[in-house]
Amino acid sequence: MGSVSLKLGDGTARFRRVAFCSSALNFIMLFSVLTTNLFAFYAFTSTPKNHLHYTPNNDVSLISEQVSLILREISSSQKQLAQLERELLGYQNIDISKSSIASELKLFLQYHPLPLGKDSRTGIAEMVSSVGHSCEKSMNLLSQFMNYKVGGICPDDWSLAQKLILRGCEPLPRRRCLTKSVPKVGLYRFPLSLWKPVNDSMVTWSGLGCKSFDCLNRKKIGKDCVGCFDLINGSDKQRFVKAKSKIDFVVDDVLALGNGGIRIGLDLGGGTGNFAARMAERNVTVVTSTLNLDAPFNEFIAARGLFPLFLSLDLRFPFYDNVFDLVHVANELNDGDRPEKMEFLMFDMDRILRVGGLLWLDNIYCADNEQKRILTQLIERFGYKKLKWIVGEKVDADQAGKPKVYLSAVLQKPVRV
């Protein structure tokens, strides 16, 4: 701890005495280190007077209790959140213990064990009956629908069933009663039946304002049904074979775009079945989905020898993937208030349409430019090939002088990898 002097002349080296201040500093540092270590040793080895009974197990028990309490609170919160989510979304299980629920509904909703026990492939041990989750919100109507005499004649309540469907209670539960028979007298052979008038006696008129087709033809039923039950002189008869405007396509032109590969199709919101009739004349089988909104559409379509499907557009289509050559939708795709609903419908139509199949959008109404933009962007997301695409204006019969914007298109589903 001092300076070193080297004298090179005589080849010797001498060390000078270490300064006194340096030695004192070293002593102070050594004393500080020893004192600090002694105090630390004392602090760690001594036992405070107020902790004479301290043991490590006390801390372990306290921590374990706190952790258990936190886990219980987390589990309780998760259950409350799950319950709240089920209530908000409508997925609450139907409580069949209530006395107000019809006994037949209770029997239908009970779980039934498989006769041979648990299935090794699926892991299912019980059969669960299908019923729409929204039925829980219409339990009074559902119990009324299921209140009948087992093995007897079913109540004349098709309008009640349709009301439940429109409220989201779909599918409806099955029933063990016999539907009232309606004699179908005067049916014509196919294909003569396609354009022959349907007799009033073939239809169940209960729950409807009109009791005859003459009455229906004098009324406006919905947006696109004006005289649509008149198969002889109705204005709708020429639809699909004669274009009224540039946005009205004819079936022969569309079928030509399919290069002869159009054999089966689905028509959404098909009214009285005129689209299916025109396609049947060209050896194409079309299923028409429709409800009986203010008129007996399903019975009328069936009387013509066509295939009706009593189904709302909110239910997943009961068809396998990639099975249809053609899907035709007329003004049923648009829902300006709920664009996500339009997306669900579009994706389901895409699911059932085969690769190379045609999606025919027929007179889709666009309320404004923003709605047209949303619809166009949605269609373009699927990457369809645009075989025909026309946006134009036309005047509705009920609003003369006020043209509206419509989109008509024929799109071809692409190959996706």
Side-chain angles (χ1 to χ4, degrees):
M1 301 295 293
S3 62
V4 177
S5 178
L6 296 178
K7 191 174 181 181
L8 301 177
D10 56 1
T12 61
R14 291 195 297 268
F15 290 90
R16 295 181 181 179
R17 189 178 296 274
V18 178
F20 175 77
C21 62
S22 297
S23 299
L25 180 61
N26 289 336
F27 176 78
I28 293 172
M29 292 178 63
L30 178 61
F31 179 78
S32 299
V33 171
L34 292 174
T35 304
T36 303
N37 289 333
L38 288 173
F39 274 111
F41 178 77
Y42 175 77
F44 280 104
T45 57
S46 64
T47 302
K49 293 182 179 181
N50 58 346
H51 291 86
L52 293 177
H53 302 288
Y54 170 79
T55 60
N57 291 333
N58 291 340
D59 275 349
V60 173
S61 299
L62 181 61
I63 293 174
S64 178
E65 291 178 3
Q66 294 293 332
V67 170
S68 299
L69 179 61
I70 293 173
L71 291 176
R72 286 195 298 268
E73 291 180 352
I74 292 175
S75 177
S76 176
S77 299
Q78 288 177 339
K79 291 179 180 179
Q80 291 177 3
L81 289 174
Q83 176 71 14
L84 181 61
E85 183 180 13
R86 286 194 298 267
E87 292 177 356
L88 291 175
L89 296 178
Y91 291 111
Q92 178 66 36
N93 292 331
I94 297 176
D95 184 6
I96 62 175
S97 64
K98 296 180 179 179
S99 58
S100 59
I101 296 181
S103 57
E104 278 293 283
L105 180 58
K106 293 180 180 180
L107 181 61
F108 179 79
L109 293 178
Q110 284 181 351
Y111 291 3
H112 300 282
L114 295 179
L116 299 180
K118 184 177 180 180
D119 183 74
S120 59
R121 293 179 300 174
T122 62
I124 297 175
E126 296 175 318
M127 291 295 294
V128 182
S129 302
S130 297
V131 63
H133 73 271
S134 292
C135 291
E136 191 270 338
K137 299 179 180 179
S138 304
M139 287 306 302
N140 291 335
L141 292 178
L142 186 61
S143 291
Q144 183 180 345
F145 176 73
M146 294 297 289
N147 189 11
Y148 56 87
K149 181 181 179 182
V150 177
I153 301 299
C154 294
D156 191 4
D157 57 358
W158 71 265
S159 57
L160 174 61
Q162 183 167 273
K163 184 181 294 184
L164 285 166
I165 291 174
L166 293 174
R167 292 189 177 191
C169 184
E170 189 178 28
L172 287 170
R174 288 174 173 169
R175 301 199 292 185
R176 298 188 297 169
C177 58
L178 302 173
T179 302
K180 182 180 179 180
S181 300
V182 178
K184 305 292 184 179
V185 180
L187 290 176
Y188 294 94
R189 293 179 178 272
F190 187 86
L192 187 64
S193 60
L194 293 176
W195 302 105
K196 285 291 185 178
V198 177
N199 195 295
D200 293 341
S201 61
M202 297 183 186
V203 175
T204 302
W205 296 96
S206 62
L208 297 174
C210 285
K211 305 301 179 183
S212 67
F213 289 114
D214 287 338
C215 173
L216 290 176
N217 288 324
R218 293 193 298 267
K219 295 177 59 177
K220 178 185 177 182
I221 305 170
K223 179 179 177 298
D224 299 319
C225 183
V226 180
C228 57
F229 289 92
D230 186 355
L231 300 181
I232 303 299
N233 301 311
S235 58
D236 200 40
K237 183 179 179 180
Q238 296 301 316
R239 191 180 178 189
F240 305 116
V241 293
K242 184 178 181 181
K244 295 181 179 180
S245 65
K246 64 178 182 179
I247 58 176
D248 294 324
F249 302 156
V250 297
V251 292
D252 290 332
D253 293 343
V254 175
L255 289 176
L257 298 174
N259 297 321
I262 308 300
R263 305 151 303 155
I264 57 174
L266 174 65
D267 184 19
L268 302 179
T272 55
N274 284 342
F275 176 77
R278 291 303 182 190
M279 299 299 281
E281 292 175 334
R282 291 152 177 82
N283 296 321
V284 177
T285 301
V286 170
V287 178
T288 303
S289 74
T290 184
L291 293 173
N292 285 357
L293 298 177
D294 300 323
F297 288 101
N298 279 268
E299 290 175 287
F300 187 82
I301 293 172
R304 301 177 70 180
L306 302 171
F307 192 156
L309 185 65
F310 191 61
L311 179 75
S312 76
L313 294 182
D314 293 323
L315 184 68
R316 188 178 190 264
F317 298 132
F319 305 110
Y320 194 65
D321 304 349
N322 305 297
V323 294
F324 284 103
D325 305 315
L326 171 70
V327 174
H328 173 262
V329 52
N331 207 31
E332 296 290 344
L333 183 63
N334 217 340
D335 195 331
D337 297 331
R338 292 182 55 194
E340 68 279 0
K341 180 179 178 181
M342 181 171 60
E343 288 188 22
F344 278 111
L345 177 58
M346 184 72 182
F347 273 94
D348 208 24
M349 290 191 298
D350 176 81
R351 177 184 64 82
I352 62 176
L353 185 64
R354 68 167 175 81
V355 173
L358 303 183
L359 175 60
W360 182 351
L361 304 180
D362 189 1
N363 283 262
I364 306 299
Y365 172 58
C366 302
D368 49 39
N369 289 330
E370 177 64 15
Q371 198 169 5
K372 183 177 69 174
R373 182 188 66 81
I374 293 174
L375 178 60
T376 302
Q377 288 183 347
L378 172 61
I379 295 172
E380 291 178 347
R381 285 171 56 186
F382 292 84
Y384 281 68
K385 182 180 181 180
K386 297 179 181 178
L387 303 180
K388 293 176 73 72
W389 182 279
I390 296 179
V391 177
E393 294 183 345
K394 72 174 184 177
V395 178
D396 292 340
D398 60 331
Q399 294 184 357
K402 296 181 180 180
K404 295 182 178 180
V405 178
Y406 289 85
L407 165 67
S408 288
V410 178
L411 312 170
Q412 189 172 41
K413 183 176 178 177
V415 177
R416 303 192 184 105
V417 293

